[in-house]
mmCIF file of all heavy atoms in Angstrom:
data_model
loop_
_atom_site.group_PDB
_atom_site.id
_atom_site.type_symbol
_atom_site.label_atom_id
_atom_site.label_comp_id
_atom_site.label_asym_id
_atom_site.label_seq_id
_atom_site.Cartn_x
_atom_site.Cartn_y
_atom_site.Cartn_z
ATOM 1 N N THR A 323 2.055 26.416 13.343
ATOM 2 C CA THR A 323 1.511 25.521 14.337
ATOM 3 C C THR A 323 2.550 24.423 14.779
ATOM 4 O O THR A 323 2.186 23.591 15.608
ATOM 5 C CB THR A 323 0.218 24.815 13.908
ATOM 6 O OG1 THR A 323 0.579 23.985 12.729
ATOM 7 C CG2 THR A 323 -0.810 25.839 13.497
ATOM 8 N N PHE A 324 3.688 24.506 14.200
ATOM 9 C CA PHE A 324 4.724 23.437 14.497
ATOM 10 C C PHE A 324 6.132 24.098 14.660
ATOM 11 O O PHE A 324 7.052 23.357 14.612
ATOM 12 C CB PHE A 324 4.744 22.408 13.353
ATOM 13 C CG PHE A 324 4.859 20.995 13.885
ATOM 14 C CD1 PHE A 324 3.838 20.298 14.452
ATOM 15 C CD2 PHE A 324 6.090 20.325 13.701
ATOM 16 C CE1 PHE A 324 4.013 18.964 14.897
ATOM 17 C CE2 PHE A 324 6.293 19.074 14.226
ATOM 18 C CZ PHE A 324 5.218 18.392 14.797
ATOM 19 N N GLY A 325 6.183 25.411 14.888
ATOM 20 C CA GLY A 325 7.456 26.014 15.130
ATOM 21 C C GLY A 325 8.456 25.720 13.976
ATOM 22 O O GLY A 325 8.170 25.853 12.787
ATOM 23 N N GLU A 329 10.400 21.826 18.298
ATOM 24 C CA GLU A 329 9.688 22.016 19.625
ATOM 25 C C GLU A 329 8.813 20.801 19.975
ATOM 26 O O GLU A 329 8.677 20.463 21.166
ATOM 27 C CB GLU A 329 8.772 23.211 19.467
ATOM 28 C CG GLU A 329 9.519 24.576 19.419
ATOM 29 C CD GLU A 329 9.839 24.960 17.940
ATOM 30 O OE1 GLU A 329 9.885 24.073 17.050
ATOM 31 O OE2 GLU A 329 10.045 26.183 17.731
ATOM 32 N N TYR A 330 8.298 20.066 18.987
ATOM 33 C CA TYR A 330 7.477 18.949 19.210
ATOM 34 C C TYR A 330 8.242 17.671 19.141
ATOM 35 O O TYR A 330 7.669 16.533 19.325
ATOM 36 C CB TYR A 330 6.289 18.895 18.202
ATOM 37 C CG TYR A 330 5.157 19.734 18.589
ATOM 38 C CD1 TYR A 330 4.785 20.885 17.886
ATOM 39 C CD2 TYR A 330 4.365 19.456 19.678
ATOM 40 C CE1 TYR A 330 3.686 21.639 18.206
ATOM 41 C CE2 TYR A 330 3.263 20.180 20.069
ATOM 42 C CZ TYR A 330 2.932 21.318 19.307
ATOM 43 O OH TYR A 330 1.863 22.089 19.674
ATOM 44 N N LEU A 333 7.754 14.839 21.694
ATOM 45 C CA LEU A 333 6.431 14.322 21.922
ATOM 46 C C LEU A 333 5.815 13.602 20.743
ATOM 47 O O LEU A 333 5.000 12.750 20.835
ATOM 48 C CB LEU A 333 5.520 15.577 22.285
ATOM 49 C CG LEU A 333 4.239 15.387 22.995
ATOM 50 C CD1 LEU A 333 4.557 14.789 24.336
ATOM 51 C CD2 LEU A 333 3.582 16.712 23.163
ATOM 52 N N ARG A 353 9.090 41.389 15.257
ATOM 53 C CA ARG A 353 8.555 41.336 16.656
ATOM 54 C C ARG A 353 7.166 40.824 16.703
ATOM 55 O O ARG A 353 6.699 40.299 17.778
ATOM 56 C CB ARG A 353 8.501 42.698 17.268
ATOM 57 C CG ARG A 353 9.822 43.217 17.886
ATOM 58 C CD ARG A 353 9.592 44.597 18.523
ATOM 59 N NE ARG A 353 8.479 44.571 19.465
ATOM 60 C CZ ARG A 353 8.646 44.293 20.760
ATOM 61 N NH1 ARG A 353 9.823 43.955 21.236
ATOM 62 N NH2 ARG A 353 7.621 44.283 21.579
ATOM 63 N N THR A 357 0.034 41.953 22.230
ATOM 64 C CA THR A 357 -0.844 40.951 22.881
ATOM 65 C C THR A 357 -2.057 41.610 23.355
ATOM 66 O O THR A 357 -2.064 42.859 23.509
ATOM 67 C CB THR A 357 -0.062 40.286 24.049
ATOM 68 O OG1 THR A 357 0.278 41.308 25.007
ATOM 69 C CG2 THR A 357 1.125 39.541 23.658
ATOM 70 N N PRO A 358 -3.210 40.920 23.567
ATOM 71 C CA PRO A 358 -3.376 39.470 23.346
ATOM 72 C C PRO A 358 -3.354 39.132 21.830
ATOM 73 O O PRO A 358 -3.832 39.936 21.010
ATOM 74 C CB PRO A 358 -4.729 39.228 23.930
ATOM 75 C CG PRO A 358 -5.120 40.386 24.807
ATOM 76 C CD PRO A 358 -4.343 41.543 24.229
ATOM 77 N N ARG A 359 -2.755 37.976 21.543
ATOM 78 C CA ARG A 359 -2.618 37.575 20.128
ATOM 79 C C ARG A 359 -3.555 36.467 19.800
ATOM 80 O O ARG A 359 -3.645 36.100 18.559
ATOM 81 C CB ARG A 359 -1.148 37.107 19.988
ATOM 82 C CG ARG A 359 -0.117 38.198 19.963
ATOM 83 C CD ARG A 359 1.304 37.653 19.879
ATOM 84 N NE ARG A 359 2.222 38.630 19.614
ATOM 85 C CZ ARG A 359 3.537 38.402 19.419
ATOM 86 N NH1 ARG A 359 3.918 37.158 19.432
ATOM 87 N NH2 ARG A 359 4.420 39.374 19.136
ATOM 88 N N THR A 360 -4.173 35.782 20.740
ATOM 89 C CA THR A 360 -5.042 34.748 20.409
ATOM 90 C C THR A 360 -6.310 34.747 21.281
ATOM 91 O O THR A 360 -6.316 35.223 22.379
ATOM 92 C CB THR A 360 -4.370 33.315 20.599
ATOM 93 O OG1 THR A 360 -3.813 33.269 21.875
ATOM 94 C CG2 THR A 360 -3.422 33.044 19.488
ATOM 95 N N GLU A 362 -9.895 31.998 21.822
ATOM 96 C CA GLU A 362 -10.658 30.886 21.450
ATOM 97 C C GLU A 362 -12.066 31.311 21.042
ATOM 98 O O GLU A 362 -12.712 32.195 21.642
ATOM 99 C CB GLU A 362 -10.691 29.839 22.521
ATOM 100 C CG GLU A 362 -11.416 28.556 22.039
ATOM 101 C CD GLU A 362 -11.263 27.426 23.028
ATOM 102 O OE1 GLU A 362 -10.174 27.324 23.654
ATOM 103 O OE2 GLU A 362 -12.208 26.609 23.079
ATOM 104 N N ALA A 365 -15.318 26.240 18.445
ATOM 105 C CA ALA A 365 -14.552 25.305 17.565
ATOM 106 C C ALA A 365 -13.464 25.998 16.720
ATOM 107 O O ALA A 365 -13.218 25.545 15.654
ATOM 108 C CB ALA A 365 -15.552 24.528 16.698
ATOM 109 N N LEU A 367 -9.984 29.077 16.584
ATOM 110 C CA LEU A 367 -8.935 29.827 17.179
ATOM 111 C C LEU A 367 -8.659 31.052 16.343
ATOM 112 O O LEU A 367 -8.457 30.976 15.141
ATOM 113 C CB LEU A 367 -7.628 28.954 17.264
ATOM 114 C CG LEU A 367 -6.364 29.737 17.731
ATOM 115 C CD1 LEU A 367 -6.458 30.276 19.145
ATOM 116 C CD2 LEU A 367 -5.162 28.776 17.657
ATOM 117 N N ILE A 371 -0.704 36.751 15.469
ATOM 118 C CA ILE A 371 0.653 36.682 15.888
ATOM 119 C C ILE A 371 1.464 37.797 15.156
ATOM 120 O O ILE A 371 2.310 38.454 15.781
ATOM 121 C CB ILE A 371 1.323 35.354 15.662
ATOM 122 C CG1 ILE A 371 0.433 34.221 16.231
ATOM 123 C CG2 ILE A 371 2.735 35.268 16.206
ATOM 124 C CD1 ILE A 371 0.189 34.294 17.731
ATOM 125 N N GLN A 374 5.779 37.026 13.989
ATOM 126 C CA GLN A 374 7.027 37.131 14.842
ATOM 127 C C GLN A 374 7.884 35.973 14.436
ATOM 128 O O GLN A 374 7.483 34.770 14.376
ATOM 129 C CB GLN A 374 6.614 36.907 16.315
ATOM 130 C CG GLN A 374 7.904 37.013 17.201
ATOM 131 C CD GLN A 374 7.591 36.687 18.628
ATOM 132 O OE1 GLN A 374 6.456 36.772 19.087
ATOM 133 N NE2 GLN A 374 8.659 36.353 19.371
ATOM 134 N N LEU A 507 -10.892 42.368 21.527
ATOM 135 C CA LEU A 507 -10.058 41.683 22.483
ATOM 136 C C LEU A 507 -8.577 41.533 21.988
ATOM 137 O O LEU A 507 -7.680 41.654 22.825
ATOM 138 C CB LEU A 507 -10.654 40.275 22.678
ATOM 139 C CG LEU A 507 -9.985 39.487 23.832
ATOM 140 C CD1 LEU A 507 -11.056 38.607 24.539
ATOM 141 C CD2 LEU A 507 -8.848 38.574 23.322
ATOM 142 N N PHE A 569 -2.364 21.774 18.366
ATOM 143 C CA PHE A 569 -2.333 22.410 19.643
ATOM 144 C C PHE A 569 -3.248 21.571 20.589
ATOM 145 O O PHE A 569 -2.987 21.520 21.771
ATOM 146 C CB PHE A 569 -2.898 23.886 19.615
ATOM 147 C CG PHE A 569 -2.059 24.773 18.779
ATOM 148 C CD1 PHE A 569 -2.600 25.949 18.224
ATOM 149 C CD2 PHE A 569 -0.708 24.530 18.588
ATOM 150 C CE1 PHE A 569 -1.841 26.849 17.507
ATOM 151 C CE2 PHE A 569 0.113 25.440 17.852
ATOM 152 C CZ PHE A 569 -0.457 26.587 17.386
ATOM 153 N N VAL A 570 -4.315 21.051 20.098
ATOM 154 C CA VAL A 570 -5.244 20.248 20.929
ATOM 155 C C VAL A 570 -4.624 18.910 21.246
ATOM 156 O O VAL A 570 -4.567 18.445 22.357
ATOM 157 C CB VAL A 570 -6.637 20.074 20.205
ATOM 158 C CG1 VAL A 570 -7.589 19.266 21.119
ATOM 159 C CG2 VAL A 570 -7.195 21.430 19.830
ATOM 160 N N MET B 175 8.383 15.264 29.263
ATOM 161 C CA MET B 175 6.987 15.743 29.015
ATOM 162 C C MET B 175 6.251 14.703 28.180
ATOM 163 O O MET B 175 6.762 14.237 27.172
ATOM 164 C CB MET B 175 7.159 17.116 28.296
ATOM 165 C CG MET B 175 5.862 17.677 27.884
ATOM 166 S SD MET B 175 5.759 17.572 26.063
ATOM 167 C CE MET B 175 7.341 18.339 25.620
ATOM 168 N N ARG B 215 -6.998 19.112 28.579
ATOM 169 C CA ARG B 215 -8.112 19.009 27.655
ATOM 170 C C ARG B 215 -9.355 18.912 28.496
ATOM 171 O O ARG B 215 -9.587 17.913 29.198
ATOM 172 C CB ARG B 215 -7.939 17.846 26.711
ATOM 173 C CG ARG B 215 -9.002 17.835 25.718
ATOM 174 C CD ARG B 215 -8.402 17.564 24.345
ATOM 175 N NE ARG B 215 -9.434 17.763 23.360
ATOM 176 C CZ ARG B 215 -9.815 16.961 22.365
ATOM 177 N NH1 ARG B 215 -9.068 15.821 22.238
ATOM 178 N NH2 ARG B 215 -10.776 17.294 21.518
ATOM 179 N N LEU B 220 -15.301 19.594 20.250
ATOM 180 C CA LEU B 220 -14.563 20.639 19.687
ATOM 181 C C LEU B 220 -14.754 22.024 20.353
ATOM 182 O O LEU B 220 -14.224 22.999 19.990
ATOM 183 C CB LEU B 220 -14.931 20.766 18.184
ATOM 184 C CG LEU B 220 -14.616 19.543 17.328
ATOM 185 C CD1 LEU B 220 -15.138 19.723 15.957
ATOM 186 C CD2 LEU B 220 -13.070 19.280 17.366
ATOM 187 N N PRO B 222 -15.094 23.377 24.483
ATOM 188 C CA PRO B 222 -13.975 24.251 24.179
ATOM 189 C C PRO B 222 -12.906 23.457 23.406
ATOM 190 O O PRO B 222 -12.708 22.311 23.675
ATOM 191 C CB PRO B 222 -13.404 24.656 25.567
ATOM 192 C CG PRO B 222 -13.971 23.656 26.488
ATOM 193 C CD PRO B 222 -15.195 23.126 25.959
ATOM 194 N N LEU B 223 -12.247 24.156 22.488
ATOM 195 C CA LEU B 223 -11.291 23.509 21.597
ATOM 196 C C LEU B 223 -9.926 23.370 22.163
ATOM 197 O O LEU B 223 -9.380 22.252 22.181
ATOM 198 C CB LEU B 223 -11.227 24.340 20.336
ATOM 199 C CG LEU B 223 -10.305 23.825 19.204
ATOM 200 C CD1 LEU B 223 -10.855 22.538 18.579
ATOM 201 C CD2 LEU B 223 -10.131 24.854 18.051
ATOM 202 N N LEU B 224 -9.392 24.374 22.663
ATOM 203 C CA LEU B 224 -8.014 24.399 23.129
ATOM 204 C C LEU B 224 -7.877 23.745 24.556
ATOM 205 O O LEU B 224 -8.793 23.851 25.334
ATOM 206 C CB LEU B 224 -7.468 25.769 23.106
ATOM 207 C CG LEU B 224 -7.382 26.415 21.711
ATOM 208 C CD1 LEU B 224 -6.997 27.900 21.855
ATOM 209 C CD2 LEU B 224 -6.432 25.712 20.830
ATOM 210 N N ARG B 225 -6.645 23.297 24.772
ATOM 211 C CA ARG B 225 -6.351 22.938 26.140
ATOM 212 C C ARG B 225 -6.232 24.170 27.038
ATOM 213 O O ARG B 225 -6.076 25.227 26.531
ATOM 214 C CB ARG B 225 -4.981 22.166 26.189
ATOM 215 C CG ARG B 225 -5.072 20.818 25.576
ATOM 216 C CD ARG B 225 -3.667 20.233 25.394
ATOM 217 N NE ARG B 225 -3.783 18.933 24.724
ATOM 218 C CZ ARG B 225 -3.902 17.770 25.370
ATOM 219 N NH1 ARG B 225 -3.815 17.705 26.662
ATOM 220 N NH2 ARG B 225 -4.001 16.615 24.693
ATOM 221 N N ARG B 226 -6.369 23.974 28.370
ATOM 222 C CA ARG B 226 -6.166 25.104 29.284
ATOM 223 C C ARG B 226 -4.911 24.869 30.074
ATOM 224 O O ARG B 226 -4.626 23.780 30.637
ATOM 225 C CB ARG B 226 -7.342 25.132 30.237
ATOM 226 C CG ARG B 226 -8.690 25.336 29.578
ATOM 227 C CD ARG B 226 -8.843 26.697 29.025
ATOM 228 N NE ARG B 226 -10.197 26.986 28.578
ATOM 229 C CZ ARG B 226 -10.539 26.869 27.281
ATOM 230 N NH1 ARG B 226 -9.727 26.454 26.377
ATOM 231 N NH2 ARG B 226 -11.820 27.148 26.913
ATOM 232 N N LEU B 271 -1.098 17.232 29.218
ATOM 233 C CA LEU B 271 0.143 17.352 28.470
ATOM 234 C C LEU B 271 1.060 18.075 29.417
ATOM 235 O O LEU B 271 0.741 19.173 29.952
ATOM 236 C CB LEU B 271 -0.082 18.179 27.227
ATOM 237 C CG LEU B 271 0.972 18.314 26.109
ATOM 238 C CD1 LEU B 271 1.166 16.909 25.521
ATOM 239 C CD2 LEU B 271 0.394 19.261 25.008
ATOM 240 N N ARG B 401 -2.351 34.454 27.874
ATOM 241 C CA ARG B 401 -3.173 33.635 27.062
ATOM 242 C C ARG B 401 -2.266 32.704 26.194
ATOM 243 O O ARG B 401 -1.330 33.175 25.585
ATOM 244 C CB ARG B 401 -3.920 34.493 26.030
ATOM 245 C CG ARG B 401 -5.109 35.159 26.627
ATOM 246 C CD ARG B 401 -5.786 36.127 25.640
ATOM 247 N NE ARG B 401 -6.983 36.587 26.191
ATOM 248 C CZ ARG B 401 -8.158 36.055 26.080
ATOM 249 N NH1 ARG B 401 -8.293 34.980 25.326
ATOM 250 N NH2 ARG B 401 -9.220 36.582 26.650
ATOM 251 N N CYS B 404 -0.837 26.805 22.424
ATOM 252 C CA CYS B 404 -0.139 25.509 22.408
ATOM 253 C C CYS B 404 0.469 25.080 23.704
ATOM 254 O O CYS B 404 0.501 23.878 24.005
ATOM 255 C CB CYS B 404 0.886 25.483 21.272
ATOM 256 S SG CYS B 404 2.369 26.422 21.613
ATOM 257 N N MET B 406 3.544 24.956 24.158
ATOM 258 C CA MET B 406 4.743 24.267 23.814
ATOM 259 C C MET B 406 5.846 25.214 23.249
ATOM 260 O O MET B 406 6.919 24.761 22.841
ATOM 261 C CB MET B 406 4.492 23.208 22.761
ATOM 262 C CG MET B 406 3.443 22.194 23.113
ATOM 263 S SD MET B 406 4.133 20.897 24.165
ATOM 264 C CE MET B 406 5.327 20.189 23.007
ATOM 265 N N VAL B 408 5.354 27.162 20.531
ATOM 266 C CA VAL B 408 5.233 27.146 19.152
ATOM 267 C C VAL B 408 4.457 28.296 18.568
ATOM 268 O O VAL B 408 4.793 28.970 17.620
ATOM 269 C CB VAL B 408 4.596 25.761 18.667
ATOM 270 C CG1 VAL B 408 4.044 25.913 17.276
ATOM 271 C CG2 VAL B 408 5.613 24.697 18.784
ATOM 272 N N CYS B 409 3.296 28.564 19.231
ATOM 273 C CA CYS B 409 2.346 29.485 18.629
ATOM 274 C C CYS B 409 2.643 30.967 18.807
ATOM 275 O O CYS B 409 2.146 31.820 18.060
ATOM 276 C CB CYS B 409 0.877 29.142 19.047
ATOM 277 S SG CYS B 409 0.554 29.640 20.687
ATOM 278 N N LEU B 410 3.457 31.261 19.792
ATOM 279 C CA LEU B 410 3.880 32.624 20.096
ATOM 280 C C LEU B 410 2.669 33.572 20.498
ATOM 281 O O LEU B 410 2.738 34.722 20.293
ATOM 282 C CB LEU B 410 4.645 33.285 18.898
ATOM 283 C CG LEU B 410 5.820 32.430 18.359
ATOM 284 C CD1 LEU B 410 6.408 33.126 17.153
ATOM 285 C CD2 LEU B 410 6.830 32.092 19.432
ATOM 286 N N SER B 411 1.704 32.928 21.162
ATOM 287 C CA SER B 411 0.569 33.738 21.714
ATOM 288 C C SER B 411 0.992 34.471 22.976
ATOM 289 O O SER B 411 0.528 35.559 23.233
ATOM 290 C CB SER B 411 -0.615 32.837 22.070
ATOM 291 O OG SER B 411 -1.069 32.155 20.983
ATOM 292 N N VAL B 413 3.694 35.725 24.383
ATOM 293 C CA VAL B 413 4.982 36.415 24.598
ATOM 294 C C VAL B 413 4.876 37.595 25.589
ATOM 295 O O VAL B 413 3.805 38.207 25.720
ATOM 296 C CB VAL B 413 5.532 36.974 23.273
ATOM 297 C CG1 VAL B 413 5.863 35.785 22.321
ATOM 298 C CG2 VAL B 413 4.554 37.889 22.603
ATOM 299 N N GLU B 415 7.294 41.035 27.123
ATOM 300 C CA GLU B 415 8.520 41.849 26.957
ATOM 301 C C GLU B 415 9.482 41.537 28.134
ATOM 302 O O GLU B 415 9.081 41.646 29.316
ATOM 303 C CB GLU B 415 8.150 43.279 26.908
ATOM 304 C CG GLU B 415 9.212 44.198 26.452
ATOM 305 C CD GLU B 415 9.593 44.063 24.973
ATOM 306 O OE1 GLU B 415 8.773 44.288 24.126
ATOM 307 O OE2 GLU B 415 10.757 43.618 24.765
ATOM 308 N N LEU B 420 11.415 39.658 23.447
ATOM 309 C CA LEU B 420 10.203 38.981 23.747
ATOM 310 C C LEU B 420 10.508 37.538 24.158
ATOM 311 O O LEU B 420 11.298 36.811 23.556
ATOM 312 C CB LEU B 420 9.322 38.863 22.463
ATOM 313 C CG LEU B 420 8.716 40.205 21.989
ATOM 314 C CD1 LEU B 420 8.014 40.019 20.628
ATOM 315 C CD2 LEU B 420 7.747 40.762 23.060
ATOM 316 N N ARG B 425 7.213 28.670 27.508
ATOM 317 C CA ARG B 425 8.475 27.821 27.401
ATOM 318 C C ARG B 425 9.605 28.438 28.099
ATOM 319 O O ARG B 425 10.395 27.764 28.729
ATOM 320 C CB ARG B 425 8.749 27.657 25.856
ATOM 321 C CG ARG B 425 9.865 26.708 25.570
ATOM 322 C CD ARG B 425 9.309 25.398 25.052
ATOM 323 N NE ARG B 425 10.342 24.530 24.450
ATOM 324 C CZ ARG B 425 10.089 23.386 23.843
ATOM 325 N NH1 ARG B 425 8.781 23.051 23.616
ATOM 326 N NH2 ARG B 425 11.042 22.702 23.333
#
Side-chain angles (χ1 to χ4, degrees):
Chain A
T323 63
F324 218 77
E329 293 89 338
Y330 276 113
L333 202 60
R353 275 182 56 86
T357 58
R359 289 175 167 184
T360 50
E362 184 169 327
L367 170 64
I371 307 301
Q374 181 186 339
L507 189 146
F569 295 157
V570 181
Chain B
M175 172 253 308
R215 185 133 190 228
L220 297 176
L223 181 67
L224 297 172
R225 289 170 184 268
R226 299 289 187 265
L271 194 62
R401 281 175 176 271
C404 72
M406 302 280 298
V408 162
C409 71
L410 308 180
S411 298
V413 294
E415 191 68 64
L420 291 175
R425 189 102 169 189

